[in-house]
Amino acid sequence: MLITLTEAANRIKAANKILITSHVQPDGDAIGSTLATLLMLRALGKHAQVFIDDSVRKNLQALPHFEEIRRPVDGEKFDADLLLILDTSPDRIGNVRKLTDAPVLNVDHHVTNKNDSGDLYVEHEAAATCEIVYKLARELDAPISPDVATCLYTGLATDTGFFQFSNTRAETLAVASELIKCGVKPNFISEQMEKKSLAEVKGLAAALNSLEMFYDDKVAGMTIDYATAKTFDSTEGFIDEIRVIDTVDVAFLITERAPNLCRVSMRSKGVDVSQIANKLGGGGHIRAAGCTLKMPLTEAEKILVAAIGEAI
Ligand code: 5GP
Ligand code: MN
């Protein structure tokens, strides 16, 4: 059921033991929004815990209180009266779903979130879930400590490509401004987020070597095979290197994460790539979306290129 922000805040006010989670393959908005919410809810006297069912990229481990995040273990249960799912629909939270049967409160900004198994507050215009969590904090009268602000700013910055993408609105910058007043050091976050390991930079070089162009150079794609992909754990930012090609509308990156398991990232300047991802079992936003294809890399590329061809 779709609810309002005030109703979402009321659900939180009424709960005492809150399990907070977000999607697998967590990004800055997933980690930023869950950690910020954790700190806020604890400051309000709630018993709260974050569980994420995946490893977290090293850059994001620099966020305050990162060590509080737990990964569910097999058969584990968590005593909660609310399951708060941020930045995704409930189908992408992995085994966190098995930790509790508590009612779901889902807060998200993805157009592809069609969750109908609980209360959903979705704001498509919000640049990041962190932007919504900021508004929730105001509804809840929760204090925004420098640590909370740092987490929220990270989600805003990473989901907007550091305030460059089309989802950057006046309101986004107004929230960022408030967060800086609350103690954020923007340069600290930028420096943490841009760090790459040597293996990652070498992986980027290999990815760039695989560049192929399709459909009169309107589509650019890169692939990373398993042998290369297993030498590093993040491809964050790789796709942006080819999105910039002047003729390109859609850029894609396919990473073979395990044999017959391909992760697809897409970026666009016009075409709605969330529709393409949706057709292939994934989702996302108009200009940034992704999916997982359980097949060999060459087959995944054929299917993806055909699906993009239909859309452009
Ligand atoms: P990225 O390319 O950075 O992994 O993802 C871009 C956007 O698409 C993000 O907003 C992300 O949440 C969304 N996305 C990526 N992969 C999936 C997927 O498999 N399912 C859904 N629903 N969304 C995805
Ligand atoms: Mn997000």
Side-chain angles (χ1 to χ4, degrees):
M1 187 179 74
L2 287 174
I3 59 171
T4 64
L5 186 70
T6 308
E7 285 167 336
N10 288 338
R11 300 283 191 281
I12 291 172
K13 279 181 197 162
N16 285 310
K17 291 172 281 184
I18 304 173
L19 196 172
I20 307 160
T21 192
S22 188
H23 53 85
V24 292
Q25 288 152 356
D27 56 11
D29 197 24
I31 299 300
S33 62
T34 52
L35 278 178
T37 305
L38 174 80
L39 300 177
M40 269 163 26
L41 294 186
R42 285 190 180 161
L44 292 173
K46 311 274 184 197
H47 180 67
Q49 177 63 47
V50 176
F51 279 90
I52 305 263
D53 190 17
D54 211 340
S55 54
V56 177
R57 173 158 70 82
K58 209 170 163 209
N59 310 53
L60 296 171
Q61 297 185 13
L63 285 186
H65 299 270
F66 163 76
E67 66 288 348
E68 303 261 6
I69 298 180
R70 294 196 40 211
R71 195 171 176 169
V73 291
D74 259 356
E76 185 177 4
K77 292 283 169 202
F78 186 82
D79 179 24
D81 49 24
L82 186 68
L83 172 58
L84 177 52
I85 301 175
L86 300 173
D87 199 41
T88 181
S89 47
D91 55 325
R92 287 189 75 213
I93 63 172
N95 284 328
V96 173
R97 201 72 198 81
K98 297 180 185 161
L99 286 170
T100 176
D101 294 322
V104 168
L105 172 59
N106 190 187
V107 175
D108 192 10
H109 69 133
H110 287 92
V111 281
T112 47
N113 189 333
K114 304 277 185 255
N115 166 30
D116 51 15
S117 66
D119 292 327
L120 170 64
Y121 178 70
V122 61
E123 199 179 312
H124 301 153
E125 307 75 31
T129 298
C130 280
E131 196 177 307
I132 309 174
V133 171
Y134 174 83
K135 294 207 280 188
L136 256 181
R138 292 300 189 211
E139 283 273 339
L140 290 165
D141 260 326
I144 298 185
S145 65
D147 282 353
V148 169
T150 297
C151 293
L152 291 179
Y153 187 96
T154 299
L156 279 186
T158 54
D159 262 24
T160 58
F162 283 80
F163 309 104
Q164 295 181 65
F165 300 155
S166 59
N167 57 354
T168 310
R169 300 171 304 151
E171 210 175 330
T172 317
L173 292 174
V175 172
S177 165
E178 289 305 316
L179 294 173
I180 290 172
K181 287 179 205 159
C182 294
V184 168
K185 298 272 175 283
N187 63 308
F188 167 79
I189 297 168
S190 310
E191 284 156 19
Q192 294 305 321
M193 295 306 128
E194 74 183 8
K195 275 185 196 169
K196 280 189 177 13
S197 67
L198 177 59
E200 267 173 83
V201 173
K202 287 184 172 172
L204 173 60
L208 286 171
N209 255 324
S210 77
L211 174 66
E212 282 178 276
M213 304 299 294
F214 306 89
Y215 306 116
D216 295 327
D217 296 346
K218 289 204 221 20
V219 176
M222 299 190 291
T223 54
I224 304 176
D225 63 17
Y226 178 56
T228 310
K230 69 180 179 191
T231 63
F232 56 96
D233 47 43
S234 172
T235 56
E236 188 69 26
F238 285 20
I239 196 168
D240 299 318
E241 302 295 331
I242 60 170
R243 183 180 52 86
V244 297
I245 299 171
D246 54 3
T247 57
V248 163
D249 183 354
V250 177
F252 70 82
L253 169 68
I254 312 178
T255 310
E256 194 178 19
R257 274 280 154 232
N260 296 331
L261 187 89
C262 295
R263 275 290 310 157
V264 174
S265 278
M266 284 181 279
R267 299 290 183 270
S268 124
K269 293 174 196 157
V271 169
D272 182 351
V273 284
S274 76
Q275 299 278 355
I276 304 171
N278 219 347
K279 273 190 197 154
L280 298 173
H285 307 282
I286 293 171
R287 291 191 161 82
C291 60
T292 298
L293 296 174
K294 291 180 181 160
M295 58 187 76
L297 187 55
T298 44
E299 200 180 318
E301 186 175 17
K302 255 187 224 150
I303 285 178
L304 181 65
V305 169
I308 294 171
E310 273 171 36
I312 61 172

